[in-house]
Amino acid sequence: MQEFPAVVAELGPGDSIGVGLAALLSGAQRYVALDALVHADRANNLRVFDDLVTLFICRAPIPGRDIFPEIALDLESSAFPIELIGEQRLRDGLNVERVAWLRRIVSGECPDPGVIDYRTPWERVGGADAGSIDFLLSNAVMEHVSDLEASYLATTRWLRAGGYASHQIDFRSHSLFRAWDGHWACPDWLWALFVGRRGYLLNRQPLRAHRTLAAIAGLMEHRCVRIERAPESQRLAKRFRHIEAADRATCGAYLLLHKSCVGE
């Protein structure tokens, strides 16, 4: 992969495209937001953009557990990651004229899909986009995707050779049940009532399913980090009694996947 991704895509950004804005301020040339429904709020994104510019100029450190108690980052340092961005790239990204230009795009004054491309539904990423993305990421999204196989196949199609996909996946019940693993104890008939007519809720797939489908789609696993927690449900629903012990205790995971280059 090149030193810094030129085209960054995010699957399921929700109501904020802050990740993409941070990528653009870091030197990325284009950000593609892929969501199922329109959630983004222009006024909110403009506020986020202004805050990010301030944070980047001040080179603010990465927030710790005191601010985000559920986020455990195994980092050697929480300092602003200048060694990853690079001094020259940061100066170019924060150029006064460039920041003003990006702000006009974010505000909607002069929208430019060549810089910020917001697409709903995400399936609208067509054949012309194949091999166009350097880095694709998602945060607490893949557990909601109803068709995991199609999503991982699409990831392979979107990524250029040598590109990476980063997925942080939350395997908890999302407060639907008292137990963090209560969704695995819920029988199918009751789960159908929870889902109702909603297009997505939780797919209830354990980590093994994600790793298997990613491999089938042609993505190599570069790294897999588990977040473990003792199981709380004593008896699982019939369809989940086969879950392997490691997945049974996995309440979260981070997957870094790689689309190989030809001959790699």
Side-chain angles (χ1 to χ4, degrees), residues 241-254:
R241 291 172 192 166
H242 67 282
I243 296 179
E244 59 187 56
D247 281 0
R248 181 75 179 85
T250 298
C251 65
Y254 170 68

Side-chain angles (χ1 to χ4, degrees), residues 77-254:
S77 172
S78 60
F80 184 84
I82 188 61
E83 71 281 359
L84 296 178
I85 301 174
E87 291 284 355
Q88 186 59 54
R89 182 175 290 107
L90 183 62
R91 283 195 294 269
D92 293 342
L94 294 176
N95 175 277
V96 174
E97 292 183 357
R98 184 175 188 272
V99 168
W101 168 66
L102 286 174
R103 196 177 192 279
R104 289 195 297 273
I105 294 175
V106 176
S107 70
E109 180 182 337
C110 56
D112 186 347
V115 179
I116 297 178
D117 191 355
Y118 187 89
R119 304 191 189 187
T120 57
W122 64 265
E123 293 91 342
R124 285 200 301 126
V125 179
D129 299 283
S132 66
I133 293 171
D134 298 301
F135 183 68
L136 180 144
L137 75 154
S138 74
N139 290 293
V141 168
M142 295 303 284
E143 68 268 23
H144 298 288
V145 174
S146 58
D147 192 340
L148 274 179
E149 182 179 13
S151 296
Y152 282 112
L153 286 170
T155 297
T156 303
R157 185 172 68 252
W158 297 331
L159 288 176
R160 72 169 182 81
Y164 283 83
S166 165
H167 297 297
Q168 185 276 320
I169 310 167
D170 187 349
F171 294 102
R172 296 174 298 178
S173 65
H174 289 53
S175 300
L176 291 170
F177 301 89
R178 183 171 300 175
W180 75 263
D181 54 356
H183 54 313
W184 288 334
C186 183
D188 286 351
W189 67 266
L190 181 56
W191 184 253
L193 294 179
F194 273 108
V195 176
R197 295 184 178 181
R198 282 175 285 197
Y200 58 92
L201 185 58
L202 293 173
N203 55 44
R204 298 199 290 173
Q205 294 293 343
L207 179 57
R208 171 58 60 187
H210 290 263
R211 301 175 79 180
T212 298
L213 291 172
I216 291 173
L219 296 167
M220 299 190 302
E221 189 174 291
H222 188 75
R223 192 176 185 192
C224 177
V225 179
R226 295 176 185 266
I227 300 173
E228 298 182 341
R229 185 172 176 178
E232 295 178 356
S233 296
Q234 298 300 312
R235 182 179 176 81
L236 298 184
K238 183 177 180 180
R239 65 178 296 197
F240 295 110
R241 291 172 192 166
H242 67 282
I243 296 179
E244 59 187 56
D247 281 0
R248 181 75 179 85
T250 298
C251 65
Y254 170 68

